Amino acid sequence: MPVRALARVNVGAIERNVARLVREASPAAVCAVVKADGYGHGMLPTARAALAGGATTLAVATAEEARALRAGLPDARILLLGAVSDEELPAALEAGAEISAWSLELVEALAAAGRPVRVHVKLDSGLGRLGTRDEEEATAVADAVAAADHLELAGAWTHFATADERGDGFLAEQLARFKAWAEPLRARHPGIVLHAANSAATLRDPATHLDLVRCGIAIYGLDPFGEDAAERDLEPALELVSYVAAVKPAAPGESAGYGRRFVAQKETLLATVPIGYGDGYRRGLSNNAEALLHGRRIQLVGTVSMDNVTFDVGAAGLGPKVGDDVVLLGAQGAAGVTAEDLARRLQTINYEITCGISVRVPRRHHRDGEAVEG
Ligand SMILES: Cc1ncc(COP(=O)(O)O)c(C=O)c1O
């Protein structure tokens, strides 16, 4: 019997996407963002592939992610992008992560820990989230890091609010504000690394590259602008597959699924596929998604339930059989369903599609078809 539901992840694709971003960003270096379990792709295999593709640094959001990454990659440079609470600090330090800071309190806590730590000072140049908006405070934090025993001022950074909205002028404003603060800082602390760009900025504007770009979505072969990843020479790494668990005829008037939201208008065949919102295949796709069977598109009918979903497989010549593979995300022959397609239907972004694939779905990693360690 086929596996009930499976996310197949091609680390070869991740490696090639990273290599493509390395070429794009050069001479800036590439930091691969592998937080949230590698955007649902599996953090460690993603991180290994990113390093193989030429990334110099890996970024995570939490101390726990840094700990898990360090356990698998003893020598990697790990940058912790997120806020670190007192409770999380010991784990972050134990992981040897480079820490983001924007307050003197955190610098004091880091200095008090008495161990070597690289620190990246964060300016909020307009996203309005983490970091200080106050350039003087950011400079004071940087100088305090540089003056502290054990601490090294390794970088200065910011994060863009609108990099994925082409034509918007705010990116340039943020960049100008960041550079006006960070360049004089670097003149006083030579060797610090300036970084700002995410995937969208990296692909949209070389002026944002500075010394290092932090790419997440594009390393997974997903399009940062929600458009066609292939047009940007990015290769989606993840496929979500399940199988036909049951096939039954439906006569006019017969329904499928909770709430009877699909009622057959004519004789057809329905296939039940054992995947649902418990797997992260969202209920919002009810009556509004396509999948692939035998390389052809099939229409989702009725309500997505927790563990099952139904497709109309009555098209002439399709010949559905129990056990046949169904591709919910990915390609079969020339046909494909992309995370961008599903995101558009759900009025969300491709990030949420892969991050949302739940822990119930095993990830199986391969390099262009050859199994690799998970
Ligand atoms: C601070 C920071 N930098 C970089 C990234 C990577 O962004 P993207 O996945 O759009 O490349 C993220 C992801 O959200 C982030 O939070």
Side-chain angles (χ1 to χ4, degrees):
M1 254 309 166
V3 178
R4 180 191 70 85
L6 178 68
R8 279 199 295 252
V9 178
N10 185 357
V11 296
I14 295 175
E15 217 173 290
R16 289 187 286 276
N17 293 327
V18 171
R20 183 235 182 284
L21 292 160
V22 166
R23 288 193 298 277
E24 181 87 26
S26 175
V30 172
C31 167
V33 180
V34 299
K35 62 194 170 121
D37 199 29
Y39 291 34
H41 293 65
M43 182 168 66
L44 271 172
T46 294
R48 289 192 199 101
L51 293 172
T56 60
T57 310
L58 304 167
V60 293
T62 72
E64 170 50 28
E65 289 174 336
R67 188 205 58 73
L69 196 53
R70 176 62 70 215
L73 289 164
D75 302 321
R77 277 189 86 152
I78 300 174
L79 170 60
L80 183 35
L81 299 167
V84 186
S85 68
D86 296 348
E87 195 189 346
E88 294 170 298
L89 193 55
L93 295 178
E94 189 58 39
E98 303 187 19
I99 307 284
S100 298
W102 50 88
S103 75
L104 288 171
E105 290 74 19
L106 180 60
V107 175
E108 278 160 23
L110 291 171
R115 52 198 297 173
V117 189
R118 286 191 177 127
V119 181
H120 296 243
V121 176
K122 180 167 193 193
L123 181 75
D124 175 6
S125 61
L127 179 59
R129 232 171 44 173
L130 298 176
T132 172
R133 283 187 197 271
D134 178 344
E135 283 89 348
E136 281 180 20
E137 185 180 19
T139 300
V141 170
D143 289 342
V145 170
D149 290 342
H150 309 298
L151 304 187
E152 177 185 333
L153 181 63
W157 69 285
T158 194
H159 193 38
F160 294 123
T162 56
D164 57 341
E165 293 169 28
R166 274 173 303 174
D168 155 89
F170 195 60
L171 176 97
E173 264 181 56
Q174 278 195 266
L175 181 63
R177 186 172 169 198
F178 176 66
K179 286 173 75 174
W181 167 71
E183 285 178 344
L185 185 75
R186 183 169 52 184
R188 290 196 297 112
H189 300 285
I192 66 168
V193 171
L194 307 190
H195 50 108
N198 57 2
S199 299
T202 301
L203 294 172
R204 171 179 155 185
D205 185 355
T208 64
H209 293 176
L210 307 176
D211 302 318
L212 177 78
V213 299
R214 304 183 308 268
C215 294
I217 197 77
I219 76 171
Y220 305 100
L222 303 176
D223 189 71
F225 304 97
E227 295 165 358
D228 183 358
E231 280 194 5
R232 267 176 267 278
D233 202 17
L234 296 169
E235 202 183 324
L238 184 144
E239 297 170 293
L240 181 63
V241 297
S242 184
Y243 75 104
V244 175
V247 183
K248 59 183 56 158
E254 287 183 326
S255 66
Y258 290 124
R260 306 194 72 218
R261 293 205 169 80
F262 168 76
V263 178
Q265 303 298 307
K266 56 183 174 57
E267 292 282 342
T268 192
L269 283 176
L270 298 181
T272 305
V273 176
I275 190 167
Y277 64 77
D279 301 293
Y281 191 75
R282 299 250 305 269
R283 192 168 181 276
L285 295 169
S286 296
N287 273 323
N288 184 25
E290 289 177 338
L292 307 172
L293 174 70
H294 302 168
R296 287 171 60 182
R297 292 184 173 277
I298 52 175
Q299 189 67 43
L300 191 158
V301 291
T303 304
V304 175
S305 53
M306 191 183 293
D307 316 309
N308 292 288
V309 67
T310 42
F311 287 89
D312 187 332
V313 291
L318 197 52
K321 291 184 305 301
V322 169
D324 287 346
D325 286 343
V326 174
V327 174
L328 299 132
L329 187 58
Q332 215 178 33
V337 175
T338 64
E340 290 77 17
D341 290 339
L342 294 183
R344 223 167 287 124
R345 290 170 189 272
L346 288 163
Q347 298 183 339
T348 183
I349 51 176
N350 44 9
Y351 300 65
E352 206 184 8
I353 301 299
T354 57
C355 285
I357 298 172
S358 78
V359 291
R360 190 164 80 171
V361 179
R363 271 64 171 175
R364 194 170 289 169
H365 295 91
H366 65 96
R367 178 175 290 98
D368 301 327
E370 297 262 312
V372 297
E373 189 189 343

